[in-house]
Amino acid sequence: MWKKGKHTWKPNPQHMGGCRWFTKDSLVSFSKAFSSKPSVLEKSLKRAERMKEACGAKCVLFLLFVQTWLVENTGHTSPGKPVLLRCRSPEKETFACWWQPGSDGGLSTNYSLYYTMEGSREDAVHECPDYKTAGLNSCYFNKTYTSLWITYTISVVAQNALGSKSSDPMFVDVAYIVQPHKPENISAELRTQDQKPYLMVKWDPPHKADTKSGWITLQYEIRLKPEKGAEWESHYAGQQKQFNVFSLHPGEVYLVQVRCKPDHGFWSEWSSTTYTEIPDYFRPRDTSVWILIAVLSVCIFLILAWTVAIKCNSIKSYLLPPVPGPKIIGFDTQLLKSGKSEDLLNALGCQGFPPTSDCEDLLVEFLEVDDSDEQKLVMNEGEDDLEGRVKSSGNKVDNDSGRGSCDSHTLLLEVSNSSRKTYAQVGGNSNNKGSVKLSRKSSTNGKLLSFEATGEKTNTWPTANSSFLLARQSSCDNISKIHREASSLGNKADMHGNTSSAQSKSKECRELHSTVSGDQKTWFADEKHAPLLPFKSVEYVEVEKLNQQSMLILKPKTEGHKSVPPEFIGQEYTKVSGVVSDRVLLLLRDTGAQGSSDTQEGKNQAVPPSLQCQVGKMVGTFPASPALDGMQLAASGYVDTAALLQSF
Amino acid sequence: MGFDHFLFPVSVLFLVLVCLDLEYRVTSAPICAHGDAGCHLLSVSDLFDRVIQHSNRMHSLSSDLYSEFEKERFLPVRNQLGRATCKCHTSRILTPNGKENAQRTDREELTQVILRLLVSWMNPLLQFHQSVAHNEELSNFSSNKALELSDMVHELKNGVEKVAEKMQLLGIISNSLNGVFPAEASLSSSASNEASHMRDYELLHCFRRDSDKVQNYLKILKCKIVPEHGC
């Protein structure tokens, strides 16, 4: 129907599947067909054409000149070219198009929209049915004018007094330009699941979109952010109409928005904002934190308790220092239980029997009685030794050393069944038989006669084989000699022993009292105990202690006598002839002489370990109380084996 | 390297689990073991869902191909401005072009329209695939998609036929459809001859539109028959 140039506008029936393309020329003619009100220019152009046909080129030029003059004088031009912006369908049933006008050229310009539909006749140009509904510069197609799956060709023509301009055409298939409205009725509800809060967001599709009949299927997207947050957090929700949001911060206000999109189409705008406040909840975190703290503290407590239990003793000793209990220096109860007297004695610091004094204030000179050539009065380096021993033993002394044991008179010397006799050898030295070496020791406080007993007998203390040292002098001369020596030691010799028996012994000892000159008090024979004593001249020496060198420190049983003649410097040996009644040590006068000496009755008693202590005590208190038991004993001149016993 | 180190114990564990006959075996169980009416309807709805999903996939595939062709095959003639208005070989088939029209159409006719459309595209797409395969200019992506497209049409047609049978079985639609198909077949063959003259781009343009129609019609049909399931 249109024949313009080379292009044919008529559809070719043989070319059913073919497509027609728009070209510039065809569009000009196309738009021309739409303009209903030809402009002044067009009119003039038409006139020019007619005139051209009529009068030729000159006329045309003249007319053009007039035309231009008109335009320049008035300042108006034909309108600018409008631009079609977009066409949108909200529900796939209607659609609307919007355009942007160009310059209006100073004159009032009106715009008109024209469209053709595919499949209809090509000359069926239609104008927009509704310019108002969709707003300014829009065209709205309602349901009757909308057909799906058909390509619309739309263009806008701007027209003013001087001319018209049409826009580029737009090809629209309504099925592909769907942009729905925003979703509606958005609600955000706070819920908890397993003590975890989450936000359940619900919405409705736009009321115009018909999803019920399946005509449109919409997909949704939700976004939210804290009120003071900067960025939105988006979630794709698919085709469902609710969504659960989990990652929430408590105590904040959240903004929620939803939008939708059809299968193939455009996203809607974001819906109106919904505000939700998340209340402060700390329970879940709180609970777990508290559980953790409880578990940790239980573990720490257990560890501490275990540590305390392990280190209980050391802690106790640190906090509460132990009160020292009674303890004998060097006395090992284990050894005592084991029954090894030798070890015990050694542990005590005694080398053999009798034990030496531990007392620190005791410096005793050994009085060694030796009636052979070999015998000599040896100033015992044991003095130093004793001191050293005292010192050393003193070092061993702790406050709780068993001083109490010194007081017990249980120094017991057991008589061996074999009645082996230890001999205090005066002047003789028979070591094998347990010679007793009387040695003098100087003491600051008192004088002691110490017997040094060697031999096995002394070492077997306190077993049955322990033996008495009975210092008995068959003759007073010997004894007195001893006594002389003994008295030379110092002031006196302390005698101690059992209270009752000691006193009796003291009397017996008087027998042994020798004629030693001076105010010695060594041994005295006691007339009273004559029946016990076969010899009247028996003198007794009380053994005070056994020093480290297995030397008996004897104490003469003198009464009242306190001094030992100082001329006793030598060393005399007295042989012990025998032990009688477990308490009396029989000393021989000379080496070979047999004799018996008085014995003293005694009882077997346990030997307290520190005779020396007692001696020390006795010595110490000597000036104060002259009438001690020991003193009385000393006066009698007996060797008080009880004292001997007590030394242990 | 670390991933390989990790992979072996995982695979061993997986094998153990599988062999231990834990709940890892996938077995098939019929949705409806017994023949109640509710169960039948459920199966129809399920069938519809599958078919709709399939048509959705088909449409998106055709859209992808079309946009690709539009870029590559833009006709290099000067002064070419816009799109072409094409005549598709299926334009003869009367299809409802609006919601009201579609809802007004009864189920049988709607089903018929769908089937017609699908049938008429089977041959053209096959030819299209062949022409694309021979064309070295196109990418592998395009040729693969074209092949997939022709397969999809076949599957979709079979699926819709099954749905129609089910519906006929249940008495949802009448049995007046049976006579349609052979006639359609003859129609489609003539149409396909015409379609062979079309160029690829135009063919895709038409097919994209028709697949959209099919998808829409299926959704409407489903919500008409089983509205309670996700409409």
Side-chain angles (χ1 to χ4, degrees), chain B residues 93-96 109-118 217:
Chain B
I93 304 170
L94 286 172
T95 57
E109 197 172 333
L110 205 53
T111 315
Q112 206 166 348
V113 162
I114 293 167
L115 282 169
R116 270 189 212 153
L117 283 169
L118 289 171
Y217 296 152

Side-chain angles (χ1 to χ4, degrees), chain A residues 97-236:
Chain A
C97 291
W98 293 268
W99 67 84
Q100 186 185 11
S103 64
D104 60 352
L107 297 167
S108 65
T109 317
N110 57 355
Y111 298 90
S112 40
L113 187 143
Y114 301 98
Y115 68 93
T116 62
M117 291 166 67
E118 173 201 355
S120 62
R121 291 185 310 161
E122 300 298 336
D123 56 350
V125 178
H126 308 278
E127 196 178 347
C128 172
D130 188 344
Y131 286 101
K132 301 279 191 304
T133 311
L136 189 64
N137 296 328
S138 72
C139 177
Y140 175 74
F141 298 81
N142 60 12
K143 282 183 187 179
T144 52
Y145 291 100
T146 308
S147 300
L148 256 67
W149 301 296
I150 292 170
T151 308
Y152 285 73
T153 310
I154 300 168
S155 69
V156 175
V157 174
Q159 195 170 27
N160 66 2
L162 292 176
S164 67
K165 223 32 175 300
S166 73
S167 66
D168 294 332
M170 184 181 266
F171 306 95
V172 171
D173 190 339
V174 180
Y176 299 107
I177 55 160
V178 182
Q179 186 183 23
H181 292 307
K182 317 173 196 178
E184 296 162 0
N185 295 338
I186 301 163
S187 67
E189 193 182 323
L190 192 69
R191 288 195 179 183
T192 56
Q193 181 195 26
D194 300 336
Q195 299 195 350
K196 280 187 203 169
Y198 66 94
L199 202 63
M200 190 170 81
V201 186
K202 279 186 179 174
W203 59 86
D204 290 333
H207 64 275
K208 283 195 179 168
D210 188 2
T211 50
K212 287 279 177 196
S213 65
W215 184 239
I216 296 183
T217 45
L218 295 171
Q219 308 157 18
Y220 300 95
E221 192 182 12
I222 170 177
R223 72 175 185 182
L224 68 156
K225 73 163 183 175
E227 194 174 19
K228 292 158 194 169
E231 290 193 359
W232 289 91
E233 183 185 327
S234 298
H235 301 278
Y236 181 72

Side-chain angles (χ1 to χ4, degrees), chain A residues 97 128 208 361 387 405 416 519 545 547 618 635:
Chain A
C97 291
C128 172
K208 283 195 179 168
D361 53 355
E387 286 174 5
S405 54
S416 62
D519 54 345
K545 65 177 180 184
N547 70 352
M618 299 296 292

Side-chain angles (χ1 to χ4, degrees), chain A residues 71 108 191 371 430 646:
Chain A
V71 169
S108 65
R191 288 195 179 183
D371 55 333
S430 60
Q646 287 166 10

